Amino acid sequence: MAASETTSRVALRPVRETRPWAVDSWQARPAAQMPRYDDPVELAGALENLGKLPPLVTSWEILALKQQLADAQEGKRFLLQGGDCAEAFSDCNNEVIANRLKVLLQMSLVLVHGLRMPVSRVGRFAGQYAKPRSADTETIDGTTLPAYRGDLVNGPEFTPAARRADPARMLEGHARSAMTMNFVRALIDGGFADLHHPEYWNLSWVERSPLAAEYRRMVDGISGAMHFMETLTGPIANFQRAEFYTSHEALLLPYEQALTRQVPRQWGWFDLSTHFPWIGMRTAALDGAHAEFCRGIRNPVAIKVGPSLRAEQLRELIDILNPDDEPGRLTLIHRMGAGGIGQHLPRLIEAVKANGRRVLWVCDPMHGNTEKLGNGVKTRRFANIRSELEQAFDIHAELGTRLGGVHLELTGEDVTECLGGARDLSELDLGRAYKSTVDPRLNYEQSLELAMLIVRKSGAGATGLQV
Ligand code: PEP
Ligand code: CO
C-alpha cells in the first residue's frame, strides 16, 4: 500500500466551515442504527483503551487513495470495491483472507487488461464488522431479543448473552482488522500480487470452470506481453506489487471516533480505522450523526444512494460532505435494483450535473436486488445483478457521465448464495453451500463473469497493459 507520489496534487486546503465540527459533534445529532450499550462505564473504558491503540491505516495512504479516486472521476482509473457483506470474527483466517484477495486480484487483472487503464482495488475487509438492520429486535417462537448488528456489536446466536451489545467487541474488531491488514500487507509485500506469478491466485476448486479457460488464455497473453516488454526495458517494478486499500461502512460511530486522530504534519482529522469509509443507505439523513461525523474527516467518503433518495436531498448531502468540491473526496454508490435503476438514476445524475459537482459514480448491483425465497432464504439473481450493471453503463453513457467503478459483495469461498451465473445455480443448489449470515455473495465464477461483462460493456479492446 505504498503512497503514490502524486498525493501532493490533492487539494490540501481546509474544508470551508459552515458550523464548527469536532470529533464528537455527531453525538448531538440523531444517530440511526446504533446499539444500546447497557453499561456506560464499561463502554467508556473500552473506548478509552481503543483510543490508545495504534491506527489501522495511515494518512498518506488515505491521501494516495483520494488522489486515485480523483483520477477515476476524470475517467483515468476504474474502482473495484468488493468483499463480504459482513466479515465475521471467525473469518479472520489464512484461507478466507487469501481466497478473497485472489478473486479481487483476478478480477482486477481482467479489468486492467480489458479497460486499458489502472484499477484501484478496495476491499470490503479489515473492519466490515458492523451492520445496519431493518428492525431493532428479532422475535423467534415468542422470544424477542436485540437484532444481530455485526460482530463488532454482538453475536449472531439467538441467546440473550450473544445478543447483548458488548463494548469489548470493539477491541476485538480492531485486533482482527489489524491481523487481516497485516496478512494482506505481508502477502503483497512478499510477492503474492506479482504479475509474473498469476498462478499464486488460482483457487483449487475452480479448475474445470468454463470461465477459467478464458481467464487462462488472457493470462497467457499478458505473460507474453510482459516478457516482451521486460526483454526491452529490464524488470518493471510495477508488475511485482499491487496496492490494496480497505473500506467499511462507518456505522458504529463510537468505534470510528476512537480511531479518528490528528497526525503530525497534516491539518485536520483522519479516520484511521480504514482508508475509505462509506455512509450506508439507512444512515444518510441530512441532519444525522453519520453525515456530521463524515463531513469533518479528511478521508475520501462514499454514500450509498438508494431509490428513495430525492434529488434535493442528494444535492444537500453533497454540499455537507464536499462543500469545496474537492477532487476524489466524494463517491456516490448507487444501488437501485434492476427494476428501479431506469427510473431513479437519471434524475439523480441530472441533479448532480445541474450543480456541476464532481463525484465518482459507482454501481452496487447487489443491494437493490436482494429477495427472499418461499423458504425464507435471502438470495440475489445473477441475471438481475448483471442487468443493473449493464443498465448503469448505458444510463451514464446516455447522460454524458461515466460509471467509474463497481461495488460488489463477493467471496473467494466456494459458496452458492446467488442464483444463476456460469453454472446456472438453482434454488436447490443454494442449500449446498450457503454460508453468509447476512447478504448473499457472488462466488468466484460469478465475480469473474461480472469483470468480463464490465470490460465488454465499457467497449474497450483488450490489448493494453497498465498496472
Ligand atoms: C451493505 O453494503 O452491506 C449495505 C447494507 O448496503 P446499503 O446501505 O446500500 O443497504
Ligand atoms: Co450487504
Side-chain angles (χ1 to χ4, degrees), residues 439-453:
D439 288 342
R441 301 157 296 176
L442 299 166
N443 63 22
Y444 164 82
E445 281 170 330
Q446 293 166 331
S447 304
L448 210 59
E449 196 172 341
L450 275 194
M452 290 173 182
L453 173 86

Side-chain angles (χ1 to χ4, degrees), residues 80-381:
L80 171 63
Q81 186 175 18
D84 275 307
C85 178
E87 282 178 285
F89 286 173
S90 60
D91 281 349
C92 181
N93 68 54
N94 176 351
E95 213 174 317
V96 170
I97 297 170
N99 284 350
R100 191 170 42 213
L101 218 53
K102 287 176 183 179
V103 175
L104 289 168
L105 281 165
Q106 289 198 17
M107 287 180 82
S108 74
L109 190 64
V110 170
L111 293 174
V112 165
H113 180 253
L115 301 179
R116 285 185 276 168
M117 64 171 69
V119 169
S120 294
R121 304 162 195 86
V122 176
R124 275 178 70 118
F125 58 53
Q128 177 49 22
Y129 287 124
K131 294 308 295 175
R133 302 316 305 252
S134 47
D136 281 344
T137 57
E138 189 179 350
T139 302
I140 299 180
D141 295 336
T143 306
T144 299
L145 292 176
Y148 169 58
R149 292 190 171 276
D151 281 7
L152 198 58
V153 174
N154 56 6
E157 304 79 22
F158 194 72
T159 63
R163 291 295 173 90
R164 173 180 180 263
D166 179 357
R169 282 180 168 268
M170 288 190 269
L171 293 159
E172 180 76 15
H174 173 271
R176 299 219 169 215
S177 300
M179 286 184 254
T180 305
M181 288 290 288
N182 182 54
F183 188 46
V184 169
R185 289 180 195 273
L187 280 173
I188 287 177
D189 287 346
F192 185 70
D194 188 341
L195 271 178
H196 297 94
H197 295 287
E199 72 277 8
Y200 293 169
W201 317 336
N202 288 345
L203 289 150
S204 54
W205 45 268
V206 292
E207 281 306 301
R208 288 183 311 279
S209 163
L211 289 176
E214 188 177 342
Y215 173 74
R216 244 190 319 271
R217 267 196 305 279
M218 195 196 74
V219 169
D220 289 346
I222 293 174
S223 298
M226 275 171 39
H227 182 72
F228 174 69
M229 282 161 73
E230 293 193 325
T231 307
L232 296 179
T233 63
I236 297 174
N238 261 6
F239 291 163
Q240 283 158 19
R241 60 195 318 281
E243 287 173 355
F244 251 96
Y245 295 94
T246 65
S247 66
H248 66 242
E249 179 171 351
L251 185 66
L252 189 61
L253 294 177
Y255 175 83
E256 302 300 333
Q257 181 187 327
L259 289 163
T260 296
R261 316 269 171 87
Q262 290 181 293
V263 300
R265 288 177 293 286
Q266 294 282 4
W267 62 266
W269 293 75
F270 290 83
D271 183 348
L272 300 175
S273 75
T274 190
H275 300 109
F276 189 17
W278 78 81
I279 302 179
M281 194 189 70
R282 291 161 194 80
T283 47
L286 288 174
D287 63 348
H290 294 81
E292 174 61 18
F293 174 76
C294 285
R295 106 182 148 89
I297 55 173
R298 291 197 53 205
N299 305 54
V301 295
I303 319 172
K304 289 287 204 92
V305 173
S308 62
L309 193 71
R310 287 177 295 105
E312 189 48 37
Q313 231 176 323
L314 179 58
R315 273 198 295 262
E316 284 185 46
L317 271 173
I318 294 173
D319 276 343
I320 291 170
L321 290 166
N322 195 17
D324 287 346
D325 201 29
E326 182 194 0
R329 160 76 172 166
L330 195 58
T331 294
L332 300 181
I333 304 172
H334 47 78
R335 32 88 81 225
M336 304 292 184
I341 187 169
Q343 185 190 347
H344 297 290
L345 183 59
R347 64 182 173 80
L348 296 177
I349 292 179
E350 293 297 358
V352 176
K353 268 172 64 180
N355 252 17
R357 304 305 286 270
R358 200 186 325 240
V359 299
L360 177 64
W361 291 103
V362 168
C363 177
D364 163 359
M366 314 296 297
H367 287 89
N369 292 311
T370 316
E371 56 185 280
K372 246 192 194 154
L373 297 173
N375 56 5
V377 173
K378 250 197 201 181
T379 190
R380 291 162 172 156
R381 286 170 209 274

Side-chain angles (χ1 to χ4, degrees), residues 19-79:
R19 51 204 155 84
W21 178 90
V23 70
D24 61 355
S25 55
W26 64 269
Q27 293 182 15
R29 308 243 162 185
Q33 296 286 340
M34 224 45 74
R36 220 160 291 131
Y37 290 103
D38 57 22
D39 184 343
V41 177
E42 189 189 7
L43 175 64
L47 291 174
E48 194 189 335
N49 284 340
L50 194 56
K52 289 182 200 148
L53 291 173
L56 297 165
V57 300
T58 63
S59 61
W60 57 88
E61 290 169 346
I62 288 172
L63 294 178
L65 176 62
K66 201 193 256 182
Q67 179 59 54
Q68 292 192 6
L69 296 172
D71 291 345
Q73 287 174 337
E74 289 176 23
K76 296 188 216 147
R77 263 186 182 272
F78 194 80
L79 171 69

